[in-house]
Amino acid sequence: MNNLTPPIVTGQCLQVLSLLRQHGALLSLNLTADLAIPEAAARIHDLRAKGFNVITTIQNEVIFRGCLRKRVAKYSLGTPEWPSPYYFQNAEFTA
């Protein structure tokens, strides 16, 4: 519980984390359609469960591939990236 080292991340979670670090923010549509991560929301959930500070902002309208899309998730990393605020407090409740 007092370990201040971020957890090891592998697979698609590592891909998503790397992409967020590289691009700053990404739409869920880009993750699934352009970057071949079919379960993007699940990978975001997994990263949050590991304590990463992933922020979701809902965009009311987005033009994607020429079509209007409504209520699209935009993901970014908060500061600090790890641990997210209250991560250790929340972990105490689940332990």
Side-chain angles (χ1 to χ4, degrees):
M1 192 62 58
N2 294 325
N3 186 3
L4 296 179
T5 304
I8 295 172
V9 180
T10 59
Q12 283 188 344
C13 286
L14 179 58
Q15 274 186 286
V16 171
L17 184 60
S18 298
L19 288 164
L20 289 174
R21 286 174 175 159
Q22 180 183 356
H23 296 283
L26 286 168
L27 295 173
S28 59
L29 296 170
N30 292 114
L31 288 169
T32 56
D34 296 336
L35 301 168
I37 300 172
E39 300 288 336
R43 301 300 73 84
I44 295 296
H45 173 80
D46 294 343
L47 287 170
R48 284 190 183 122
K50 289 180 177 282
F52 287 93
N53 190 10
V54 181
I55 298 168
T56 301
T57 306
I58 301 298
Q59 306 293 300
N60 286 326
E61 294 183 343
V62 171
I63 302 293
F64 184 74
R65 295 184 178 171
C67 295
L68 177 67
R69 306 290 182 185
K70 295 186 181 233
R71 312 265 316 142
V72 176
K74 181 178 180 181
Y75 302 116
S76 61
L77 286 173
T79 304
E81 178 181 299
W82 189 93
S84 66
Y86 312 111
Y87 173 67
F88 289 112
Q89 289 176 356
N90 290 339
E92 289 175 14
F93 292 116
T94 59

